[in-house]
Amino acid sequence: MLSDDQDRALGVCYYPEHWPEETWSQDARRMRELGIRFVRIGEFAWSKLEPARADYQFDWLNRAIDILHAQGLSVVLGTPTATPPKWLVDEMPDMLGVDADGQIRKFGSRRHYSFSHTGYRSQCQRIVSELAKRFGTHPAVVAWQTDNEYGCHNTTLSFSPVDLAAFRNWLARKYQSVDALNKAWGNTFWSMEYGDIDEVELPNLTVTEANPAHRMDYQRFASDMVIEFNRLQVEILRKYSPGRDIVHNFMGRILDFDHFALGNDLDISSWDSYPLGFLEDRSDNSDEWKSRFARTGDPDFQAFHHDLYRATSKGRWWVMEQQPGPVNWAPHNPAPRSGMVRLWSLEALAHGAQTVSYFRWRQAPFAQEQMHSGLLRSDGVEAEGFHEVEKVQKDIRIIKWPAQALSQVAIVFDYTSSWAWEIQPQGKEFDYFRLIFDHYRILRKLGFSIDFISSQTRDLSGYKLVIVPGLFAWTPQLRQALVQFDGEILIGPRSGSKTVNFSIPDQLPPDLPTEILDLKVSRVESLRSDCPVKTRHGKFRFWREHVIAGPETKVEFATSDGSPALVRQNNITYLCGWPDGHLLQSALNGLAEAAGLKTRRLPDGVRLRRSGDLTFVFNYGDCDFDASGLELGECRLGGTQIPPSGVSVFESG
Amino acid sequence: MLSDDQDRALGVCYYPEHWPEETWSQDARRMRELGIRFVRIGEFAWSKLEPARADYQFDWLNRAIDILHAQGLSVVLGTPTATPPKWLVDEMPDMLGVDADGQIRKFGSRRHYSFSHTGYRSQCQRIVSELAKRFGTHPAVVAWQTDNEYGCHNTTLSFSPVDLAAFRNWLARKYQSVDALNKAWGNTFWSMEYGDIDEVELPNLTVTEANPAHRMDYQRFASDMVIEFNRLQVEILRKYSPGRDIVHNFMGRILDFDHFALGNDLDISSWDSYPLGFLEDRSDNSDEWKSRFARTGDPDFQAFHHDLYRATSKGRWWVMEQQPGPVNWAPHNPAPRSGMVRLWSLEALAHGAQTVSYFRWRQAPFAQEQMHSGLLRSDGVEAEGFHEVEKVQKDIRIIKWPAQALSQVAIVFDYTSSWAWEIQPQGKEFDYFRLIFDHYRILRKLGFSIDFISSQTRDLSGYKLVIVPGLFAWTPQLRQALVQFDGEILIGPRSGSKTVNFSIPDQLPPDLPTEILDLKVSRVESLRSDCPVKTRHGKFRFWREHVIAGPETKVEFATSDGSPALVRQNNITYLCGWPDGHLLQSALNGLAEAAGLKTRRLPDGVRLRRSGDLTFVFNYGDCDFDASGLELGECRLGGTQIPPSGVSVFESG
Amino acid sequence: MLSDDQDRALGVCYYPEHWPEETWSQDARRMRELGIRFVRIGEFAWSKLEPARADYQFDWLNRAIDILHAQGLSVVLGTPTATPPKWLVDEMPDMLGVDADGQIRKFGSRRHYSFSHTGYRSQCQRIVSELAKRFGTHPAVVAWQTDNEYGCHNTTLSFSPVDLAAFRNWLARKYQSVDALNKAWGNTFWSMEYGDIDEVELPNLTVTEANPAHRMDYQRFASDMVIEFNRLQVEILRKYSPGRDIVHNFMGRILDFDHFALGNDLDISSWDSYPLGFLEDRSDNSDEWKSRFARTGDPDFQAFHHDLYRATSKGRWWVMEQQPGPVNWAPHNPAPRSGMVRLWSLEALAHGAQTVSYFRWRQAPFAQEQMHSGLLRSDGVEAEGFHEVEKVQKDIRIIKWPAQALSQVAIVFDYTSSWAWEIQPQGKEFDYFRLIFDHYRILRKLGFSIDFISSQTRDLSGYKLVIVPGLFAWTPQLRQALVQFDGEILIGPRSGSKTVNFSIPDQLPPDLPTEILDLKVSRVESLRSDCPVKTRHGKFRFWREHVIAGPETKVEFATSDGSPALVRQNNITYLCGWPDGHLLQSALNGLAEAAGLKTRRLPDGVRLRRSGDLTFVFNYGDCDFDASGLELGECRLGGTQIPPSGVSVFESG
């Protein structure tokens, strides 16, 4: 295990079951020589570990672990529950998920199960118990990974009869009576009233849109099922494998279960960072932007998730799978620009990752991911990424890693809000991730390092500036924290626009007491992208609000059609629409000044990360960046002239 | 009720079941104060009226009606059959519709039923009978609305086993023998012959396209089912609620059942006018156009439907739901420009609406439409639309409304044709509504007021100019009317191109006797939008016909490749393709001259409506319009300088 | 039958069952007068031939054949198995195919059957036997067409339970044991191992992508089912109709079964050539290109298929259905430019077609294809195409048709490769047909005539230059042929990149021995279309490879980022990416020079076909082409100044 949080390590994902046993020792030796400390194994190996019911074949895994151990490597052992074997699926075919169109999602790839299936949960408990009993105290085993990439391939929500039964149970526990449910959902509308909770249907395949409150509860239920599913494994692992860390590997821009809730049960959050695949597949940016950063990844996407997953398990986090070369699953799969694997690795470490682990050791020549690069080519020769990892290994030793500390700026990130605006976007561009990401990018452009905090946060006092865009509904905790906070707060657009039951608040959004913010959102508009609303400092796009600002407030500036755009009351500022970059930069500049924070103006491709006394500079751009004007202190790595893909580290006095 | 057709009134849609009973009186009072005369209620309240089988709970509705009555308000009572309650669906789940992909369309929103289901029809008869017996002679109840927005959410066509059985019955009645069916459809083609009518399948999910004759009959059947479904309610209401008007609220650009046939059974046609939602969701126009009119709606779309639904029930018509602010269901939902709610209201009244009724009184804070504006905000405060309605109320009293009269120009509108070209577009842009709308827009640009007439029309004699574009097949009535008419007629493109059995006519299109029109369409082409065909006066786009024009005809002008473009024989002119605006304007200018009609040239955003001695001018544009050049007479409302969103009324000498 | 391969004839497709019997004689007479020699009939007439089980109604067909015979016409008789009648489908509804989404593909159009259904196969054997016994020795019947357009409408792959059972049988025959299957597919990946071959599922509807090896075997199975299905008919026809040719009519750009394998069982390959429909529907070209050639068709698409299907049955081939005017099935259906029907006909004949047969004789006024032109209009009057066929008839007699001969340039065409890159494109533009077509077009632009050869080819010695782009996996035959060949060879991109089991070769692509080509593909990238990679001579787009070129090779030129772009070793050249036109032209120019071949530079719209001593010039362009600079010899048809749609023939000294 890592000695303390100033330690940094490298890892790799390895599949001994894919290779002849005689090659394992050499692999282990080469890993050690590369400076790898952690090896994740086993997470897809169920059919090799139990080829038929109760026919446990654990010896090969034991030998593999021993071989790794012999080289001084530590093992992160994966539970294999993301890939139930065929014999198990054939025993209980109703464990398969069903998509929103009613199609059974068949065996033949991975994640072919519904989280709510109690039979499958029992089987997972069984195999995890067996593995934990056998390997839980092996000296090489220092951590467990539960399952793999929960929610990937749209698997959080499933619409099977089994899910329906579980949903009805969940509703019965939540509402106790059908009258309470009907009232909470507003089922009097369109005669949607149920006579019994067991009459409730799944909210898919309705004639027109289903009740948003119905969908929201289905989303909450589905998220809860993931949390429960994971917790069953955690409990077993804690029992049989004491003292080991429990990790899960989250994904990029998957929002359909509450990662804070799941992260609470883990010791370490981790995520799988594929900068190029994500740029192609999960970015809202224009083609021009994608073309520009095609071989580097979006300059903010990785950092965003680093900062997010640093929050979900209270600070300890890893990159479990780091892209080492071209991948296979995006519409286009270019190679990283030379130096980017190193940059991505150092960036993760700068954001506080304890470990960066590469996926995978050696490219598999067969099956679905045969075009996914590894550190080695499929013929065992070192691939380009291998040599970058060698450099990272050296860099790690040069840098004196600082202890974790809070950033000056925080953004509230709330999974419920992302569900809400997916259920009811009102304008087709209104996506929560996109809104938060827009804020994140501009804050970074201004030079800030950022923390994400959950909507359950009770205390904001460590921060100078807190941003709350697009919050579905206030939690009592956050509302209280707001009152007590004396730093700068930016709220809106659309924050507090709903009650927890997905209704409009009685006193209208933003649903705050007048003494906090004397403002009502009287009317909202969603805007075509070719119909933005102008202000003196930029535009609202996609969304704007007509607000009535009370006497306690000051309208900082208005839209060109005369409606308040930015409204301030004491330390709280409300933003009345979805800002473009220019408007957001203006607003944040003003807030930063009020908060006593210094801002910078970074080019699109250059980003900073402040950590203790160190400031890391990362150049995603395609020309040299001269960092001397930033006055960041003594250069400890790289130089002040930072080439494309370059990383420099500065230490302030 | 309205005393005569020169009377004009306002209404509102109200949902007492959504609000505490103690608020009803205040609501009623405020409605009266606003000048509301009609209140539509009850159309989605089945689960409140009958929460369990035969458990009739009508008292609350009675109290609500009494409260409205006490304020002098009249009630339009809706039958609740668009929202069957869950207990009823659970009793007979096969009442649910099935979409073209074979998916059952589940409970959880609205319109979850198939029109052909006899069990559900019986249940509708039962609840309507109960309601009609209880409220049919209540003095406040002056009209009934049957169901709500038939066909909305693609519900006209359903593909369930129940529908198949009903379709076979319908076919048996129509064809009497399978041989007749096989012959009519041309089933010898591709060995599609059936041995028995009970072998006929639904025309969905075939390997490649189904027989167009098969699809056409399925479409006719589906339309008939809607008519039958509605008629069952009409019969009950006429019996138990004598002297009351029967209304249905149609939608914009829904064409999949025959609104003329349904309108025949009503006293009043009405429609639900959502100018901004329809622009975003149901317009063929470019993004540039949509951006330009994003806050006003398309300048012709509302008028089009006003004129259409004025025809479907022989002149009496309403707007049942008028958009009062942003809606919730389009891809983008901007707010109307200030003044537009008033403009839309006055425009409807100018086109002959007896009543404009706003949807809804107060914004509901819960369920699917919580983001849909009302005249009041959800907290009960007046919303922007409220104040515009106050102005409309004043305007109504100023204007001396003329009696209905025929326009000088008529367009034949035929639902069958819209089905035909959806089934067999031949070129992907060939949409009937789009074709008719193109003609309508240019006629309006030339300053005309327009009537729509059905293809069953027997007499054209009231008109100077009649337009028949894209008519699927001649009816005997229309063919006869054509012969007798001595005004100007414009036919084509594609008119008369099929027999009623969806075959090419023996003598080829346009299927008219030589003495009427000595012309044959020898070959047609559908054109890429980047491959128009030029003429001296503009272009054919999407569609052009190669015609052989006989000696009785005169080719007015030809295409650049030498084929006739516009052909004339006596008072009949044939247009050999889909005209762009320039070509159509030329053709119509010529015809207008021949018909002795004066044309104007209006800008895109300005439209006229002539009604008796009055001419209304509506300014959808974004700059002032100077109407003085139009010489419309004395100004009775507004002024000759008409600002954006302005309405002026002139009276000619 | 055709006397020898220098004979050329015309044919037509005719449906006597669509027309009154009294018109047949006149039709036959007019066909003869037009110079038609072959009439294809009967291929969709099952319901007329057997309206109920075993109720054979062959007399009408006999009379029709006799009438044609009486005019000296020869008959190609179609087996009616593409359109099983309703009574048969009702007897065994599980014969219907199921699409990849699990939807049953219902009766109501055509091709409603699964190739693997043994019951349906028996029924086909029965009806074909009956027909062959009755008509097999009729003197007019000179050929049979099996079924119609196998694979059209995505019918090769079906996903029904019947198909699953057949697939498992096929796998059992192929692999003998489940261990062999698991190993071949690499099922250890993601625990996809099966315990028994009867546990294998169909590769559709998996949670994420299925194993590519699984999909590849399903595709091979599906292709085999088509071959087997066809062979059953061939065997019967050979038995009962000795000495008659057996033909099938393939389609354009349908690649999902192996046409070489199927063509092996035929005497004559034929295809259905719809230049305008294919341009609209099956072209990768830009809208600008489509607009430019909207009325001519793509200048290379027809020739491509002529050359391809010349190869599939060893040289004898026809056009079975030639577009004679606008069709009905593309997004837009314009009319051919005047002269194009003649040009297309002569082009087919120049490429070696023994017969060009027009579809159809007379336009049908009913059912699905009523908007599809014929040589006659539906009213029996000659359509535009009729008159062009009259000219073709004259041209045929003027030209002295040469014997077939090999071209100087060959392209390896491999159906398996097309499946491979559809299953695993890695970059979304990587389509095999597109890649081959790009090469074909540039070769044609350089003036070459081209042969396609299969990947089973054992001998390349007749060629000067052989091109092997995008080959999935080497066959032993082709690898051997390569070694023995001393002409120029161009390989790549992506050739030899997989083993037959869809794995990466042990020694990496291109999987050739060092003495042949000392080069390894170390890494590949798929590229956004806005991120091409430059070289001195043009760009790689979509795909580029980083290769390690050994000492035996010479790097001809490199990319701008310093990686080999074109590598040469002896007579073998490797192309390291998907070339744009400029790069490909450079590479091919160099190879042509090395091979001693002369190149030309033709405009986009002008193409040559060399056949014996004749060179045909076809002008698809929109301006005159002056052929004098080409020095093609004496003009035998047309002139050196070739107008749009013109054809000239030159004879070299």
Side-chain angles (χ1 to χ4, degrees), chain C residues 93 110 180 185 192 199 255 295 312 354 374 443 510 550 556 572 652:
Chain C
R110 60 180 188 174
W185 290 7
M192 291 181 297
E199 288 179 8
L255 304 167
R295 284 200 168 80
T312 50
Q354 296 184 325
L443 285 167
E556 298 274 342
I572 296 188
S652 58

Side-chain angles (χ1 to χ4, degrees), chain A residues 504-547:
Chain A
I504 299 174
D506 287 345
Q507 298 308 313
L508 301 190
D511 197 22
L512 289 170
T514 310
E515 61 273 21
I516 299 298
L517 185 57
D518 185 11
L519 175 146
K520 267 191 208 314
V521 177
S522 173
R523 168 186 265 194
V524 301
E525 303 187 82
S526 51
L527 307 169
R528 299 173 52 85
S529 58
D530 51 12
C531 293
V533 172
K534 286 181 198 160
T535 78
R536 199 170 65 227
H537 297 294
K539 296 172 186 171
F540 287 136
R541 55 183 196 150
F542 308 152
W543 182 269
R544 71 87 60 97
E545 299 174 355
H546 298 261
V547 307

Side-chain angles (χ1 to χ4, degrees), chain A residues 101 191-193 199 201 204-205 207-208 211 426 428-429 498 502-504 522 525-528, chain B residues 44 46-48 86 103 105-106 108-110 280 287 295 327 331-333 335 365 368 370-371 377:
Chain A
D101 291 329
S191 280
M192 292 181 296
E193 289 164 303
E199 288 179 8
E201 301 281 354
N204 64 326
L205 297 174
V207 175
T208 182
N211 190 329
Q426 181 68 6
K428 71 175 180 176
E429 292 86 357
K498 303 290 172 184
F502 218 123
S503 296
I504 299 174
S522 173
E525 303 187 82
S526 51
L527 307 169
R528 299 173 52 85
Chain B
F44 295 128
W46 196 333
S47 75
K48 276 278 175 280
K86 187 59 164 45
Q103 292 283 19
R105 306 183 75 184
K106 299 194 309 182
S109 60
R110 60 180 189 174
E280 270 286 289
D287 277 333
R295 285 200 168 80
V327 299
H332 302 94
N333 298 291
Q368 281 91 332
Q370 57 185 270
M371 299 297 281
R377 302 189 319 208

